[in-house]
Amino acid sequence: MSDLLSHRLALLAEHHNLSLLSQCLHGIERECLRVDGDGELAMTPHPRTLGSALTHPKITTDYSEALLEFITGTETDPQRTLAELDAIHRYTYSKLSDEFLWSPSMPGHLPEEEQIPIAEYGTSNIGRLKHVYRQGLALRYGKTMQCIAGIHYNFSLPEALWSVLQADEGDDRPQQDYQSWRYIALIRNFRRYSWLLMYLFGASPALDASFMRGRPHQLEQLDDQTLYLPYATSLRMSDLGYQSNAQAGLTPCYDDLPSYTTSLHKAVSTPYPEYVVLGTKDAGGHWQQLNTNILQIENEYYSNIRPKRVTATGERPLHALRARGIQYIEVRCLDINPFLPLGIDVNEARFLDAFLLFCTLQQSPCLVESECGASNDNFLKVVKEGRKPELELRRGNENVGLQAWATELIGEIDKVAELLDRSHGGDHHAQALAEQQAKVADSNLTPSARVLEELRRGGESFSQFSLRQTRQHAEYFRSQALPEADMAWFDTTAHDSLAQQAEMEGDAQDFDSFVEDYQRSLTQ
């Protein structure tokens, strides 16, 4: 363990600082496809009984009309975050009739590309903008790729904790600047070590054969309907998905917040020749993408982790980050665990807390180009063959076995977990770490290995297994209704969101001018 990490742990262990660790905030966003009783993509509109996908604070849609996204608030205890996520699932199932929420990250059998419905958000200008953005995603990357689901884990440290660290370092810059600088350092360490998350929590080693749409690939055939890689952990995070030439040069190495926002600003304001040829409108004059730049908007950048700041209505993420700094980080590389009703459990959340706090407190020099490349390579190697015996990764100028490095890392993270347990009381974080160390010692315990074992043992295709899990989880959620007070809150929120969307419709400004103003706002 580095001297700096030891020093910072000792600082936070002091009596007057220890409680700060119990004030970290957690939020979860979980995506999942609506499917029919056969596991086929639901072709029905977003259920009106769930409210407006444009304005509902908890239940919205991502890419497709059938791709639901559930959003929790933030809590200091991840157990409460998961309880809220559970309530959102139960409410949704109470309104779904004969439809289901698909359990894994990778979709089952999908209809033809042109039949996959893009999410609709009504006739307001902001609703149309969200729809056209998704049309642009379809144009650039195809609709199939947009039907992959995941879990996003949002995490922040209390400002008082940053103040303690800043005072200890004698750093005299404005606290906002120090906090952003340290969040960027967290992100650098995340990029160094996130391969470990793929090994421990990757749960997509196989997929429905139809997903590839006849494209060339290097996957193996498990059965007539299933493709896989024998040692893969997360095909969702592999290069099977977003092979974007436009984004190929968009890997900021996160030296500081200004360099990050500058690289994103360049991407959302620089035309990309292939997109220029396509144009913003089709031959019939209908919008097909918001602009012809490398990225239409900031959120099009497909990264494993993002620095975030809550935005005001109509405010662009870049403006928020530049004006008020980084508020929290969003981990975006987590697969949905198909064995868990919520796709994530409290042990995973507690390990993530310890892991992210380790990334915060461990020394984090800037990534030189060679380490930047090695971090990318390590990540991709683990998603494709992370359970391969004797697999080696690149660390500095040497190769190191995944198992040895993972054990070493968990040993260091364990010191952070001990401190978290002292702050919270109990030994929950230590238990969460022990569960992950067991996976390092025996790869058969990983979710990815368990999925393949289930397929082989039961003689099921990926989609058959997934539908079985989906039905089990539906029964779990439908077996216990929400308390009346919770149902009433969700019903009221759904009703209010529909009213709010209706108020937003009937804009006086024409859509073309609205998009022009939106684009111009980037330069203001």
Side-chain angles (χ1 to χ4, degrees):
M1 185 163 60
S2 72
D3 291 342
L4 183 58
L5 177 59
S6 297
H7 172 76
R8 287 171 172 167
L9 288 173
L11 176 67
L12 295 178
E14 293 176 7
H15 177 72
H16 52 284
N17 293 331
L18 190 60
S19 64
L20 295 174
L21 291 173
S22 64
Q23 297 171 32
C24 296
L25 290 175
H26 319 77
I28 294 175
E29 300 159 36
R30 189 246 166 118
E31 303 160 344
C32 48
L33 287 169
R34 281 187 298 115
V35 298
D36 64 20
D38 296 320
E40 298 282 337
L41 189 73
M43 304 302 285
T44 51
H46 180 69
R48 188 172 176 82
T49 49
L50 293 178
S52 163
L54 178 65
T55 56
H56 197 293
K58 304 292 182 185
I59 304 171
T60 182
T61 51
D62 193 287
Y63 170 77
S64 172
E65 190 76 345
L67 185 56
L68 287 168
E69 183 171 357
F70 300 149
I71 305 166
T72 74
T74 55
E75 296 281 356
T76 55
D77 183 352
Q79 191 90 54
R80 291 201 296 270
T81 307
L82 291 166
E84 183 183 1
L85 187 61
D86 181 90
I88 298 171
H89 278 74
R90 291 186 193 279
Y91 180 78
T92 300
Y93 260 117
S94 76
K95 305 296 183 182
L96 275 191
S97 179
D98 56 353
E99 292 180 347
F100 297 84
L101 303 175
W102 191 245
S103 281
S105 279
M106 299 304 290
H109 182 266
L110 291 171
E112 294 301 314
E113 278 263 336
E114 60 272 11
Q115 294 178 335
I116 296 173
I118 298 175
E120 299 279 356
Y121 299 96
T123 59
S124 68
N125 280 335
I126 190 66
R128 288 186 64 192
L129 183 125
K130 288 170 72 75
H131 178 75
V132 171
Y133 165 63
R134 285 156 175 77
Q135 286 182 304
L137 296 179
L139 188 70
R140 296 170 176 215
Y141 314 106
K143 293 182 174 182
T144 298
M145 304 305 166
Q146 313 296 324
C147 293
I148 300 171
I151 282 180
H152 299 166
Y153 194 78
N154 299 319
F155 177 83
S156 69
L157 292 94
E159 290 190 0
L161 188 149
W162 292 121
S163 295
V164 167
L165 294 173
Q166 184 174 9
D168 179 67
E169 292 176 27
D171 191 297
D172 59 0
R173 76 185 89 183
Q175 184 179 329
Q176 174 183 308
D177 294 345
Y178 174 82
Q179 181 173 312
S180 293
W181 177 65
R182 289 299 305 277
Y183 271 123
I184 289 290
L186 183 168
I187 290 172
R188 286 198 298 270
N189 274 338
F190 184 91
R191 296 200 60 231
R192 288 181 170 100
Y193 307 127
S194 54
W195 57 265
L196 179 62
L197 301 183
M198 295 297 91
Y199 175 86
L200 296 174
F201 303 115
S204 54
L207 47 81
D208 191 279
S210 66
F211 180 84
M212 298 311 298
R213 304 282 193 195
R215 291 175 297 150
H217 60 79
Q218 296 170 338
L219 302 177
E220 298 180 21
Q221 199 93 28
L222 188 65
D223 59 43
D224 290 346
Q225 301 171 48
T226 307
L227 298 172
Y228 81 118
L229 286 176
Y231 301 116
T233 62
S234 178
L235 294 178
R236 166 180 168 264
M237 294 305 299
S238 74
D239 52 10
L240 286 177
Y242 300 105
Q243 296 180 358
S244 167
N245 292 329
Q247 290 198 28
L250 270 186
T251 310
C253 281
Y254 302 98
D255 289 337
D256 51 32
L257 181 58
S259 66
Y260 172 80
T261 56
T262 297
S263 65
L264 268 194
H265 183 275
K266 182 178 179 182
V268 295
S269 55
T270 302
Y272 186 67
E274 288 183 24
Y275 303 157
V276 172
V277 170
L278 294 169
T280 54
K281 296 181 180 179
D282 63 20
H286 303 109
W287 282 89
Q288 59 180 359
Q289 55 181 341
L290 289 175
N291 54 55
T292 59
N293 298 330
I294 296 170
L295 302 178
Q296 297 173 90
I297 62 175
E298 298 92 314
N299 286 351
E300 190 175 333
Y301 175 48
Y302 297 115
S303 55
N304 298 337
I305 184 170
R306 281 180 185 163
K308 297 291 288 276
R309 159 68 61 178
V310 172
T311 56
T313 302
E315 184 182 28
R316 297 193 67 141
L318 272 176
H319 285 165
L321 285 173
R322 283 174 164 171
R324 300 186 299 285
I326 302 172
Q327 184 179 16
Y328 65 98
I329 55 95
E330 177 189 42
V331 175
R332 301 172 49 81
C333 59
L334 299 171
D335 282 354
I336 297 167
N337 186 327
F339 298 104
L340 301 172
L342 296 176
I344 182 173
D345 64 11
V346 72
N347 269 0
E348 180 174 346
R350 287 183 173 132
F351 179 84
L352 288 168
D353 289 351
F355 176 84
L356 292 168
L357 191 56
F358 166 76
C359 289
T360 303
L361 301 177
Q362 176 65 293
Q363 59 190 10
S364 181
C366 288
L367 289 157
V368 296
E369 188 172 337
S370 59
E371 191 182 9
C372 219
S375 297
N376 291 336
D377 292 345
N378 287 341
F379 187 91
L380 287 173
K381 184 177 279 192
V382 173
V383 301
K384 284 188 171 180
E385 49 182 358
R387 287 177 290 102
K388 187 176 183 179
E390 312 301 327
L391 182 70
E392 292 190 333
L393 303 177
R394 190 75 182 160
R395 181 172 63 180
N397 295 319
E398 62 176 1
N399 291 332
V400 58
L402 178 148
Q403 195 173 32
W405 193 2
T407 299
E408 182 183 318
L409 274 176
I410 288 178
E412 294 186 317
I413 297 167
D414 188 52
K415 303 301 182 187
V416 179
E418 287 176 13
L419 194 59
L420 284 168
D421 281 336
R422 284 179 59 190
S423 177
H424 288 267
D427 63 351
H428 296 308
H429 294 88
Q431 289 178 24
L433 253 73
E435 183 178 301
Q436 308 320 317
Q437 179 56 49
K439 293 179 189 174
V440 174
D442 182 1
S443 66
N444 291 321
L445 299 176
T446 60
S448 56
R450 291 179 60 204
V451 168
L452 292 182
E453 173 60 23
E454 282 282 309
L455 298 183
R456 292 188 175 110
R457 186 169 55 82
E460 294 174 303
S461 68
F462 166 75
S463 289
Q464 288 169 333
F465 158 76
S466 301
L467 182 57
R468 176 164 61 84
Q469 294 300 117
T470 295
R471 288 182 171 276
Q472 283 181 12
H473 295 158
E475 178 61 27
Y476 168 82
F477 289 120
R478 285 176 165 150
S479 65
Q480 184 178 348
L482 278 178
E484 283 188 19
D486 290 350
M487 283 293 292
W489 183 89
F490 276 107
D491 283 340
T492 299
T493 303
H495 177 271
D496 291 349
S497 71
L498 291 168
Q500 186 180 352
Q501 178 180 324
E503 287 178 16
M504 295 167 66
E505 296 183 336
D507 294 287
Q509 186 181 25
D510 67 276
F511 184 63
D512 287 23
S513 299
F514 179 80
V515 175
E516 190 175 325
D517 287 347
Y518 184 81
Q519 297 297 132
R520 192 183 298 117
S521 71
L522 189 65
T523 60
Q524 294 172 350

